[in-house]
Protein backbone atom coordinates (compact mmCIF):
# COMPACT_ATOMS: atom_id res chain seq x y z
CA UNK A 1 0.00 0.00 0.00
CA UNK A 2 5.15 1.04 -0.29
CA UNK A 3 2.97 4.96 1.53
CA UNK A 4 7.72 8.92 1.89
CA UNK A 5 7.07 9.46 5.59
CA UNK A 6 7.16 12.55 7.69
CA UNK A 7 10.73 11.82 8.58
CA UNK A 8 11.45 13.22 5.16
CA UNK A 9 10.43 16.69 6.33
CA UNK A 10 13.74 17.94 5.03
CA UNK A 11 12.62 16.80 1.61
CA UNK A 12 9.82 19.36 1.61
CA UNK A 13 12.37 21.87 0.39
CA UNK A 14 12.31 20.15 -3.01
CA UNK A 15 9.90 21.09 -5.74
CA UNK A 16 6.28 20.08 -5.23
CA UNK A 17 5.90 19.43 -8.96
CA UNK A 18 6.50 15.71 -8.49
CA UNK A 19 3.39 13.99 -7.16
CA UNK A 20 3.43 11.07 -4.75
CA UNK A 21 3.54 7.89 -6.81
CA UNK A 22 2.80 4.46 -5.32
CA UNK A 23 2.35 0.81 -6.16
CA UNK A 24 -1.09 -0.59 -5.35
CA UNK A 25 -0.88 -2.94 -2.37
CA UNK A 26 -3.28 -5.45 -0.90
CA UNK A 27 -4.88 -4.65 2.47
CA UNK A 28 -3.30 -7.78 3.96
CA UNK A 29 0.17 -6.69 2.83
CA UNK A 30 -0.32 -3.24 4.35
CA UNK A 31 -1.45 -4.82 7.61
CA UNK A 32 1.57 -7.12 7.77
CA UNK A 33 4.06 -4.35 6.92
CA UNK A 34 2.61 -1.89 9.48
CA UNK A 35 3.77 -1.11 13.01
CA UNK A 36 0.22 -0.27 14.05
CA UNK A 37 -3.28 -0.88 12.73
CA UNK A 38 -6.31 0.69 14.40
CA UNK A 39 -9.80 2.03 13.92
CA UNK A 40 -9.94 5.73 14.84
CA UNK A 41 -12.06 8.86 14.67
CA UNK A 42 -10.79 12.45 14.61
CA UNK A 43 -11.23 14.40 17.84
CA UNK A 44 -11.11 17.74 16.06
CA UNK A 45 -9.79 19.49 12.95
CA UNK A 46 -6.27 18.73 11.70
CA UNK A 47 -3.38 20.88 12.94
CA UNK A 48 -0.67 22.27 10.69
CA UNK A 49 2.91 21.89 11.93
CA UNK A 50 5.15 24.77 10.87
CA UNK A 51 8.87 25.32 10.65
CA UNK A 52 10.38 28.80 10.65
CA UNK A 53 12.78 29.62 7.84
CA UNK A 54 15.03 32.64 7.54
CA UNK A 55 15.71 34.13 4.12
CA UNK A 56 17.80 37.16 3.22
CA UNK A 57 16.53 39.50 0.52
CA UNK A 58 17.15 43.03 -0.67
CA UNK A 59 14.69 45.58 0.73
CA UNK A 60 14.31 48.52 -1.63
CA UNK A 61 12.68 50.65 1.07
CA UNK A 62 15.72 50.62 3.33
CA UNK A 63 18.15 50.05 0.43
CA UNK A 64 19.75 47.19 2.31
CA UNK A 65 19.55 43.45 2.80
CA UNK A 66 17.11 42.24 5.45
CA UNK A 67 16.33 38.91 7.04
CA UNK A 68 12.79 37.70 6.59
CA UNK A 69 11.20 34.90 8.62
CA UNK A 70 8.72 32.65 6.83
CA UNK A 71 6.64 29.80 8.16
CA UNK A 72 6.34 26.64 6.09
CA UNK A 73 3.95 23.76 6.76
CA UNK A 74 6.01 20.59 7.18
CA UNK A 75 3.40 18.18 8.53
CA UNK A 76 -0.23 17.66 9.48
CA UNK A 77 -1.18 16.34 12.91
CA UNK A 78 -4.40 14.46 13.61
CA UNK A 79 -5.65 14.03 17.17
CA UNK A 80 -7.67 10.83 17.18
CA UNK A 81 -9.85 8.73 19.44
CA UNK A 82 -8.92 5.05 19.27
CA UNK A 83 -11.94 2.81 18.81
CA UNK A 84 -10.07 -0.48 18.39
CA UNK A 85 -6.47 -1.65 18.00
CA UNK A 86 -5.79 -4.56 15.64
CA UNK A 87 -2.00 -4.52 15.66
CA UNK A 88 0.53 -2.73 17.84
CA UNK A 89 4.25 -3.42 17.79
CA UNK A 90 6.43 -2.45 20.74
CA UNK A 91 7.17 1.25 20.57
CA UNK A 92 8.52 4.34 22.33
CA UNK A 93 5.52 6.52 21.49
CA UNK A 94 3.72 5.87 24.78
CA UNK A 95 0.97 4.01 22.93
CA UNK A 96 -0.24 0.70 24.35
CA UNK A 97 -3.24 -1.61 23.97
CA UNK A 98 -5.16 0.36 26.62
CA UNK A 99 -4.67 3.77 24.97
CA UNK A 100 -7.83 5.62 23.98
CA UNK A 101 -6.35 8.69 22.26
CA UNK A 102 -3.19 9.46 20.29
CA UNK A 103 -1.61 11.78 17.72
CA UNK A 104 -0.89 10.73 14.13
CA UNK A 105 1.26 12.69 11.67
CA UNK A 106 1.31 12.81 7.89
CA UNK A 107 2.80 14.85 5.06
CA UNK A 108 1.57 18.43 4.43
CA UNK A 109 -0.02 17.59 1.07
CA UNK A 110 -0.69 14.69 -1.29
CA UNK A 111 2.38 15.61 -3.34
CA UNK A 112 4.40 14.51 -0.31
CA UNK A 113 2.17 11.49 0.29
CA UNK A 114 0.10 13.21 2.96
CA UNK A 115 -3.21 11.58 3.94
CA UNK A 116 -6.33 13.74 4.20
CA UNK A 117 -8.81 12.72 6.90
CA UNK A 118 -12.16 14.26 7.78
CA UNK A 119 -14.11 14.70 10.97
CA UNK A 120 -17.23 12.64 11.78
CA UNK A 121 -15.80 9.61 9.97
CA UNK A 122 -14.40 6.38 11.41
CA UNK A 123 -11.19 5.26 9.69
CA UNK A 124 -9.06 2.15 9.49
CA UNK A 125 -5.47 3.40 9.67
CA UNK A 126 -2.10 1.69 9.58
CA UNK A 127 1.37 3.17 9.64
CA UNK A 128 4.90 3.24 10.99
CA UNK A 129 6.70 4.57 14.05
CA UNK A 130 9.25 7.29 13.43
CA UNK A 131 11.11 9.48 15.92
CA UNK A 132 8.75 8.47 18.72
CA UNK A 133 5.58 9.29 16.78
CA UNK A 134 2.97 7.60 14.61
CA UNK A 135 3.11 8.34 10.88
CA UNK A 136 0.84 7.54 7.95
CA UNK A 137 1.19 8.16 4.22
CA UNK A 138 -0.67 7.45 1.00
CA UNK A 139 1.55 4.65 -0.25
CA UNK A 140 2.38 2.36 2.66
CA UNK A 141 -0.60 2.90 4.96
CA UNK A 142 -4.18 1.80 5.15
CA UNK A 143 -6.32 4.95 5.26
CA UNK A 144 -9.86 3.83 4.54
CA UNK A 145 -13.25 4.90 5.88
CA UNK A 146 -14.41 2.08 8.15
CA UNK A 147 -17.67 1.83 6.22
CA UNK A 148 -15.68 0.63 3.18
CA UNK A 149 -14.22 -2.36 5.04
CA UNK A 150 -15.99 -5.65 4.26
CA UNK A 151 -16.89 -8.38 6.74
CA UNK A 152 -14.16 -10.59 5.28
CA UNK A 153 -11.59 -7.82 5.74
CA UNK A 154 -12.74 -7.31 9.33
CA UNK A 155 -12.22 -11.02 9.91
CA UNK A 156 -8.77 -10.64 8.40
CA UNK A 157 -7.94 -7.81 10.79
CA UNK A 158 -9.00 -9.90 13.79
CA UNK A 159 -7.52 -13.25 12.81
CA UNK A 160 -6.47 -14.22 9.29
CA UNK A 161 -3.95 -11.51 8.37
CA UNK A 162 -1.87 -11.97 11.55
CA UNK A 163 -1.65 -15.71 10.98
CA UNK A 164 -0.70 -15.29 7.33
CA UNK A 165 2.00 -12.61 7.33
CA UNK A 166 4.54 -15.17 6.12
CA UNK A 167 2.61 -15.23 2.84
CA UNK A 168 3.56 -12.91 0.02
CA UNK A 169 0.96 -11.24 -2.20
CA UNK A 170 2.39 -10.24 -5.57
CA UNK A 171 0.77 -7.54 -7.69
CA UNK A 172 1.42 -9.12 -11.08
CA UNK A 173 1.59 -5.71 -12.76
CA UNK A 174 4.80 -4.81 -10.90
CA UNK A 175 6.89 -8.00 -10.86
CA UNK A 176 9.24 -9.41 -13.48
CA UNK A 177 9.05 -12.96 -12.16
CA UNK A 178 6.18 -14.57 -10.27
CA UNK A 179 7.02 -16.36 -7.02
CA UNK A 180 5.38 -19.82 -7.21
CA UNK A 181 4.85 -19.74 -3.43
CA UNK A 182 3.03 -16.39 -3.49
CA UNK A 183 -0.59 -15.41 -4.03
CA UNK A 184 -0.76 -13.66 -7.39
CA UNK A 185 -3.08 -10.65 -7.55
CA UNK A 186 -4.10 -8.57 -10.54
CA UNK A 187 -6.17 -5.57 -9.35
CA UNK A 188 -6.68 -4.51 -12.96
CA UNK A 189 -8.74 -7.60 -13.80
CA UNK A 190 -12.51 -7.35 -13.65
CA UNK A 191 -12.58 -9.50 -10.49
CA UNK A 192 -9.35 -8.13 -9.02
CA UNK A 193 -11.19 -6.12 -6.39
CA UNK A 194 -12.80 -9.33 -5.12
CA UNK A 195 -9.41 -10.75 -4.13
CA UNK A 196 -8.75 -7.76 -1.88
CA UNK A 197 -12.19 -7.36 -0.36
CA UNK A 198 -13.45 -10.93 -0.05
CA UNK A 199 -10.49 -13.20 0.70
CA UNK A 200 -7.01 -13.49 2.23
CA UNK A 201 -3.75 -15.14 1.23
CA UNK A 202 -3.18 -18.08 3.59
CA UNK A 203 -0.64 -20.86 4.05
CA UNK A 204 -1.40 -23.88 1.88
CA UNK A 205 -1.33 -26.88 4.20
CA UNK A 206 -1.09 -29.21 1.21
CA UNK A 207 1.98 -27.49 -0.22
CA UNK A 208 5.25 -29.36 0.23
CA UNK A 209 7.23 -26.16 -0.38
CA UNK A 210 5.46 -23.91 2.13
CA UNK A 211 3.47 -22.08 -0.50
CA UNK A 212 0.36 -19.95 -0.05
CA UNK A 213 -3.05 -19.78 -1.72
CA UNK A 214 -6.14 -17.61 -1.85
CA UNK A 215 -8.70 -18.64 0.74
CA UNK A 216 -11.78 -19.92 -1.07
CA UNK A 217 -15.20 -18.94 0.26
CA UNK A 218 -18.73 -18.19 -0.88
CA UNK A 219 -18.35 -14.42 -0.78
CA UNK A 220 -15.33 -14.53 -3.10
CA UNK A 221 -17.18 -16.75 -5.56
CA UNK A 222 -20.27 -14.51 -5.52
CA UNK A 223 -18.16 -11.37 -5.97
CA UNK A 224 -16.33 -12.84 -8.99
CA UNK A 225 -19.55 -13.96 -10.64
CA UNK A 226 -21.12 -10.55 -10.05
CA UNK A 227 -18.06 -8.72 -11.44
CA UNK A 228 -17.99 -10.85 -14.58
CA UNK A 229 -21.73 -10.55 -15.16
CA UNK A 230 -21.56 -6.75 -14.96
CA UNK A 231 -18.74 -6.75 -17.50
CA UNK A 232 -21.01 -8.51 -20.01
CA UNK A 233 -23.72 -5.85 -19.74
CA UNK A 234 -23.99 -3.57 -22.84
Amino acid sequence: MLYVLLLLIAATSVSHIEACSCLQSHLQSLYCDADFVMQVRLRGPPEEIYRKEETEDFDETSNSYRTFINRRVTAIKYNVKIRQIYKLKDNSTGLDKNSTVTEIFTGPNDGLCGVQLFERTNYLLSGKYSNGALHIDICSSIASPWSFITKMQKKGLRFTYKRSCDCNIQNINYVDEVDPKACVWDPRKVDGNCYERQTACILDKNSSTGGCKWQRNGKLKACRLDAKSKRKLP
Side-chain angles (χ1 to χ4, degrees):
M1 118 175 153
L2 294 153
Y3 20 12
V4 182
L5 297 180
L6 275 183
L7 259 194
L8 302 181
I9 281 177
T12 57
S13 59
V14 302
S15 171
H16 289 189
I17 294 176
E18 294 187 11
C20 181
S21 179
C22 321
L23 304 182
Q24 186 175 355
S25 298
H26 195 278
L27 190 78
Q28 179 177 334
S29 300
L30 294 174
Y31 170 94
C32 292
D33 290 340
D35 291 334
F36 65 88
V37 182
M38 59 184 69
Q39 183 193 161
V40 306
R41 189 179 181 91
L42 298 194
R43 299 174 63 206
E47 299 179 25
E48 293 182 332
I49 306 300
Y50 294 92
R51 184 171 68 185
K52 291 183 178 179
E53 292 183 334
E54 293 186 0
T55 59
E56 192 175 77
D57 203 357
F58 186 77
D59 182 16
E60 294 183 356
T61 303
S62 60
N63 198 31
S64 62
Y65 282 93
R66 293 182 56 190
T67 299
F68 296 89
I69 298 178
N70 300 311
R71 293 201 310 167
R72 182 163 55 87
V73 180
T74 56
I76 300 295
K77 181 176 76 172
Y78 293 111
N79 294 291
V80 302
K81 176 181 176 64
I82 300 172
R83 303 183 69 91
Q84 189 163 354
I85 294 176
Y86 296 99
K87 180 181 181 181
L88 191 66
K89 288 186 177 181
D90 292 340
N91 63 89
S92 60
T93 68
L95 187 69
D96 60 43
K97 63 180 181 179
N98 297 314
S99 298
T100 58
V101 296
T102 191
E103 298 174 345
I104 297 177
F105 295 85
T106 191
N109 53 63
D110 57 4
L112 291 170
C113 299
V115 177
Q116 187 176 20
L117 305 178
F118 299 93
E119 295 182 76
R120 296 184 293 280
T121 301
N122 291 343
Y123 288 97
L124 178 65
L125 296 183
S126 74
K128 298 283 189 178
Y129 306 136
S130 181
N131 283 3
L134 282 65
H135 295 263
I136 60 174
D137 64 71
I138 292 174
C139 294
S140 60
S141 300
I142 304 167
S144 171
W146 182 250
S147 59
F148 291 177
I149 304 300
T150 67
K151 289 183 178 180
M152 289 302 296
Q153 288 174 321
K154 291 173 183 176
K155 181 180 178 182
L157 292 168
R158 294 194 302 270
F159 308 111
T160 318
Y161 295 164
K162 182 179 180 180
R163 298 170 183 172
S164 307
C165 280
D166 288 336
C167 288
N168 180 28
I169 300 175
Q170 284 191 317
N171 186 331
I172 199 169
N173 299 293
Y174 302 110
V175 294
D176 296 323
E177 185 176 346
V178 174
D179 181 355
K181 297 181 181 180
C183 291
V184 178
W185 176 48
D186 187 354
R188 297 179 182 177
K189 289 183 66 175
V190 64
D191 61 350
N193 191 47
C194 299
Y195 283 89
E196 179 172 26
R197 297 178 59 77
Q198 301 297 352
T199 186
C201 181
I202 61 173
L203 291 170
D204 186 354
K205 295 179 181 179
N206 297 319
S207 172
S208 60
T209 58
C212 298
K213 65 178 182 179
W214 290 114
Q215 186 180 45
R216 299 291 177 178
N217 62 75
K219 289 186 179 295
L220 174 62
K221 183 178 180 180
C223 180
R224 294 185 65 202
L225 288 173
D226 183 58
K228 290 178 180 180
S229 66
K230 288 179 179 178
R231 186 181 185 181
K232 294 178 182 179
L233 293 176

